[in-house]
Amino acid sequence: MKKILKRILLVLLAVLVAVQVPFIYRRYETGKRASAIADMQAKRVEHQPDGFREYRGIIHAHTSLGGHSTGGFDELIKAANDDSLDFVLMTEHWSDEYDTSALTLNGTYGKTLFIGGNEIDTADSDRFLMLPGSADAAGLRREKTDAVIQKLHGEGRVVMVTYPETLKTWSADFDGIEVLNLKTAAKQLSWLVALGDVIWTAPAYPELMFAQQLRRPTENMTRFDEAAKRRPVGLFFGSDAHSNIGIHLFGDDAGHRFINIKVDPYKTDFGIVQLHVLLADGTPLTRGSLIDALRARHYFASVEAFGNSAGFRFQAVSSAGTQAMGDEVKLVDGVTLRATAPVPVRFVVYKDGVKFAEQAAATEFTAKPDGPGEYRVEAYLDQLGLEADRMPWIMSSPIYLR
Ligand SMILES: [Zn+2]
């Protein structure tokens, strides 16, 4: 009897060891990818100044205000400062009892400007991020989407679609679409694979571990390109940072925990996807100038865990001058679309949602438009060894040629 038990235990142990092997290999591959990123970044190319200064931050973050999250201000500020983020766009859930956008972080803490916004619901069951937030956030759930957006625009706020897969009122006049949401992407991961990665890869490469599993949000891009046919709209990746997924054993209410693994601290979430915003040279970064740039769609989305994407540009160049991503541009003879990147990428230009032009292994690419339309760029790092077209490093807001 004793002998059988010993044998069973030995077999179990062997199985336990054997199932670790693929995860150890994944950690090895991730390490190789991290060195490839470092090598690429060491050879960054600087492009000519274009009249804009770039600011890096994140959009869509929650704290324990309004529920759902266990995150606090101290962790949030430290994470934003450690990552040298220029801004964090807070989007607190609404509360009937108090104004969560006023009670969350507003103003500059350390190196980072915070704007207190809200995540809101409408009577049409649509969900938006509004910036800045408002004391009326909770009440908006009783009004129709069109009325809500009209009202918020009248008050100088910007309104961005979150969870586009659930949006009903596509005709509404929103300013931007969150084509990728980290929280939604995390839910699509296999928990078994995630557990192995959390043990083996996350300690050394927490951001890259997650980023390399992201997939191009193809369905949301189809929705985005449809919406962009009707009117100008920008696109971004939302962090949806909550700092609330993890396991711990033996904790107390004061937060003391024995064996405490948190998978999504703010620090990790902030390093995975980011928003790069362009402000005209000489315009200081303030609450007002940042909201204006969001309204003008002067931004691009990046998987920053694949490397610092600062310096990416998408422009329309003509004798009339240079215009930025997000702009509506008059189609004149000689207008050229120009994209630049700080390291060699594969540029893919889409026109009205259809692949229009492509160039691999380049830091600069120009294309002649063939008529009016919505043109945007995706930049891929094929050298990272991920399957081609799996997930772009960068996605730009479109240029709208009229
Ligand atoms: Zn959210």
Side-chain angles (χ1 to χ4, degrees):
M1 190 65 200
K2 223 175 162 189
K3 217 170 160 186
I4 294 173
L5 198 69
K6 207 171 158 189
R7 202 170 281 173
I8 290 172
L9 278 174
L10 269 173
V11 168
L12 275 177
L13 190 69
V15 168
L16 201 65
V17 171
V19 295
Q20 305 303 312
V21 172
F23 296 110
I24 295 169
Y25 183 69
R26 281 164 72 87
R27 184 200 149 109
Y28 165 74
E29 274 195 311
T30 310
K32 270 207 326 201
R33 203 161 281 139
S35 357
I37 292 170
D39 289 349
M40 254 169 5
Q41 287 288 328
K43 290 177 253 167
R44 285 173 65 87
V45 186
E46 293 290 329
H47 294 280
Q48 288 293 319
D50 66 338
F52 283 102
R53 190 158 163 206
E54 189 171 336
Y55 295 89
R56 216 164 48 84
I58 70 98
I59 176 165
H60 202 157
H62 299 277
T63 66
S64 55
L65 287 167
H68 303 286
S69 164
T70 55
F73 292 163
D74 292 312
E75 185 200 338
L76 186 61
I77 293 170
K78 186 171 184 327
N81 276 262
D82 285 354
D83 273 344
S84 292
L85 296 184
D86 297 307
F87 62 86
V88 170
L89 300 167
M90 300 297 302
T91 52
E92 300 286 7
H93 293 291
W94 48 264
S95 161
D96 273 318
E97 313 303 327
Y98 51 88
D99 179 356
T100 53
S101 71
L103 289 169
T104 192
L105 295 170
N106 279 285
T108 302
Y109 295 87
K111 307 173 202 166
T112 311
L113 171 69
F114 290 80
I115 298 183
N118 287 116
E119 182 169 331
I120 57 164
D121 299 285
T122 70
D124 293 310
S125 306
D126 293 325
R127 211 162 235 220
F128 298 99
L129 307 177
M130 78 160 165
L131 292 153
S134 146
D136 298 332
L140 296 173
R141 71 183 187 276
R142 289 184 280 269
E143 295 177 46
K144 307 282 281 177
T145 293
D146 283 323
V148 166
I149 294 185
Q150 207 179 356
K151 177 181 171 187
L152 298 181
H153 277 168
E155 295 165 352
R157 302 177 209 280
V158 291
V159 188
M160 313 289 218
V161 174
T162 181
Y163 311 113
E165 57 278 9
T166 64
L167 186 80
K168 295 184 184 68
T169 318
W170 279 96
S171 57
D173 189 22
F174 44 78
D175 301 287
I177 301 177
E178 181 182 65
V179 294
L180 183 114
N181 175 295
L182 272 195
K183 203 91 184 172
T184 308
K187 282 185 196 150
Q188 286 156 356
L189 295 182
S190 138
W191 275 102
L192 208 62
V193 173
L195 191 64
D197 279 352
V198 162
I199 293 166
W200 285 102
T201 309
Y205 313 103
E207 294 90 4
L208 192 54
M209 176 205 81
F210 191 75
Q212 65 192 0
Q213 300 187 63
L214 291 173
R215 294 289 185 280
R216 182 181 184 273
T218 299
E219 283 168 26
N220 280 345
M221 291 316 296
T222 305
R223 295 178 179 111
F224 173 86
D225 289 317
E226 274 305 309
K229 275 179 196 163
R230 290 191 285 268
R231 81 204 164 280
V233 57
L235 68 86
F236 62 94
F237 303 156
S239 303
D240 209 354
H242 286 70
S243 187
N244 65 352
I245 303 178
I247 43 168
H248 65 269
L249 289 175
F250 314 115
D252 66 21
D253 286 344
H256 302 108
R257 280 156 187 190
F258 176 68
I259 305 187
N260 185 20
I261 303 174
K262 206 177 220 187
V263 184
D264 68 335
Y266 288 122
K267 178 89 176 75
T268 301
D269 280 351
F270 290 177
I272 301 173
V273 295
Q274 293 185 1
L275 180 68
H276 290 239
V277 174
L278 305 177
L279 298 188
D281 275 341
T283 305
L285 178 71
T286 63
R287 188 179 169 98
S289 65
L290 187 49
I291 298 291
D292 286 347
L294 294 177
R295 189 179 297 113
R297 306 169 293 278
H298 285 167
Y299 53 80
F300 62 90
S302 74
V303 180
E304 204 71 7
F306 292 162
N308 173 9
S309 62
F312 169 82
R313 291 292 187 275
F314 178 45
Q315 305 155 325
V317 185
S318 73
S319 52
T322 301
Q323 285 181 276
M325 59 188 107
D327 283 348
E328 284 188 278
V329 176
K330 223 177 146 109
L331 184 62
V332 290
D333 273 352
V335 66
T336 300
L337 297 171
R338 178 173 180 262
T340 58
V343 306
V345 296
R346 178 163 51 87
F347 291 105
V348 184
V349 180
Y350 282 83
K351 180 194 177 190
D352 296 326
V354 178
K355 210 180 256 193
F356 175 73
E358 189 164 9
Q359 169 74 54
T363 54
E364 180 167 350
F365 179 48
T366 56
K368 278 270 165 221
D370 70 348
E374 170 238 335
Y375 293 84
R376 54 178 188 79
V377 173
E378 297 180 9
Y380 291 83
L381 291 169
D382 296 336
Q383 58 270 51
L384 288 191
L386 299 163
E387 307 155 38
D389 289 345
R390 195 159 96 171
M391 182 69 209
W393 179 31
I394 295 166
M395 287 175 127
S396 77
S397 276
I399 286 176
Y400 296 89
L401 288 181
R402 306 300 195 208

